[in-house]
Amino acid sequence: KNQVEQSPQSLIILEGKNCTLQCNYTVSPFSNLRWYKQDTGRGPVSLTIMTFSENTKSNGRYTATLDADTKQSSLHITASQLSDSASYICVVSAQYSGGGADGLTFGKGTHLIIQP
Amino acid sequence: GAVVSQHPSWVICKSGTSVKIECRSLDFQATTMFWYRQFPKQSLMLMATSNEGSKATYEQGVEKDKFLINHASLTLSTLTVTSAHPEDSSFYICSARPLGQGINYGYTFGSGTRLTVV
């Protein structure tokens, strides 16, 4: 069964500090991995997307890494800001075989709180 | 960039009534749109895949007669919650992928609709 596990479930850090969120998956056959930021009461917004051949991708202060061998990904946030408070969702896509959804498996997310 | 507009952003309805939620791709066409449901502090759960010009594909356990999906054009999909009950109260989100883009292209999500049934 395809699964995506994220840790920690929640995290509180002080403004200006760095943090790293983890994502482990068992999705097969793997196609790509995406990180989304979801503010409370809003839809998810894409941060990064990585395919099998990519092991790192940055988007401003967000840097995602991917180890396809160990099936792990991380999202590193540098110099956190109050606006980074949100849920961060890891989504892994299996190779599309046609019909229905595109084989997305969602993690439950990490709830990040930045304190001043 | 690709923008998906979802309307309304929140709605309160009486038990037994129906509610329609719209999902529009504003600057691109999408043959396929997806409808999700999200409970507090939970992940998004796929409800159905909306296909333009054909019947939607529902996930196991989702009542197709209760959650009516219509995808009449390449830019609009609607989800109608029929005979709503308090247990239908949830956050509903749609997403879409531009026509012609492969699965490695990022999905764009709508801003979500908070449905409260009283």
Side-chain angles (χ1 to χ4, degrees):
Chain A
K1 180 182 178 183
N2 291 336
Q3 288 186 317
V4 174
E5 300 288 340
Q6 290 188 244
S7 62
Q9 194 172 33
S10 60
L11 180 63
I12 302 174
I13 64 171
L14 293 176
E15 185 180 10
K17 298 296 185 181
N18 303 336
C19 65
T20 300
L21 314 180
Q22 300 292 338
C23 173
N24 296 338
Y25 63 92
T26 59
V27 176
S28 182
F30 175 84
S31 176
N32 60 73
L33 184 146
R34 317 155 196 246
W35 282 94
Y36 286 90
K37 177 186 179 187
Q38 184 178 24
D39 293 313
T40 301
R42 307 289 293 176
V45 174
S46 180
L47 295 176
T48 63
I49 178 169
M50 291 180 290
T51 59
F52 184 88
S53 59
E54 299 172 295
N55 54 28
T56 187
K57 185 161 283 190
S58 292
N59 179 357
R61 294 179 295 103
Y62 300 102
T63 300
T65 64
L66 173 66
D67 186 333
D69 291 331
T70 61
K71 298 186 177 181
Q72 296 179 326
S73 176
S74 65
L75 180 69
H76 186 74
I77 304 175
T78 305
S80 61
Q81 300 176 357
L82 296 178
S83 59
D84 292 333
S85 295
S87 286
Y88 291 82
I89 304 172
C90 176
V91 183
V92 183
S93 177
Q95 290 185 16
Y96 186 45
S97 59
D102 286 353
L104 298 185
T105 303
F106 288 77
K108 290 187 176 181
T110 292
H111 186 51
L112 176 64
I113 298 174
I114 311 297
Q115 288 186 337
Chain B
V3 178
V4 173
S5 173
Q6 192 171 336
H7 180 80
S9 55
W10 61 270
V11 58
I12 302 173
C13 71
K14 290 185 177 180
S15 188
T17 62
S18 295
V19 174
K20 180 184 285 188
I21 302 170
E22 291 188 349
C23 181
R24 290 183 186 271
S25 54
L26 297 187
D27 49 2
F28 66 97
Q29 293 181 326
T31 53
T32 305
M33 292 186 178
F34 304 92
W35 287 96
Y36 298 87
R37 184 173 182 176
Q38 187 178 33
F39 292 105
K41 297 187 178 181
Q42 295 295 313
S43 184
L44 279 72
M45 290 172 30
L46 180 67
M47 298 175 64
T49 302
S50 170
N51 301 297
E52 188 268 335
S54 64
K55 291 183 179 180
T57 303
Y58 291 82
E59 294 300 297
Q60 192 172 16
V62 177
E63 299 176 60
K64 60 180 67 176
D65 293 331
K66 180 166 187 63
F67 299 100
L68 300 180
I69 290 173
N70 183 276
H71 193 156
S73 76
L74 288 173
T75 59
L76 174 65
S77 175
T78 61
L79 168 68
T80 301
V81 183
T82 63
S83 187
H85 290 287
E87 57 264 31
D88 297 325
S89 298
S90 188
F91 193 56
Y92 293 87
I93 307 173
C94 69
S95 74
R97 189 178 75 241
L99 178 66
Q101 295 293 342
I103 62 172
N104 286 337
Y105 192 88
Y107 287 86
T108 299
F109 286 86
S111 55
T113 297
R114 170 72 59 194
L115 170 63
T116 302
V117 184
V118 297

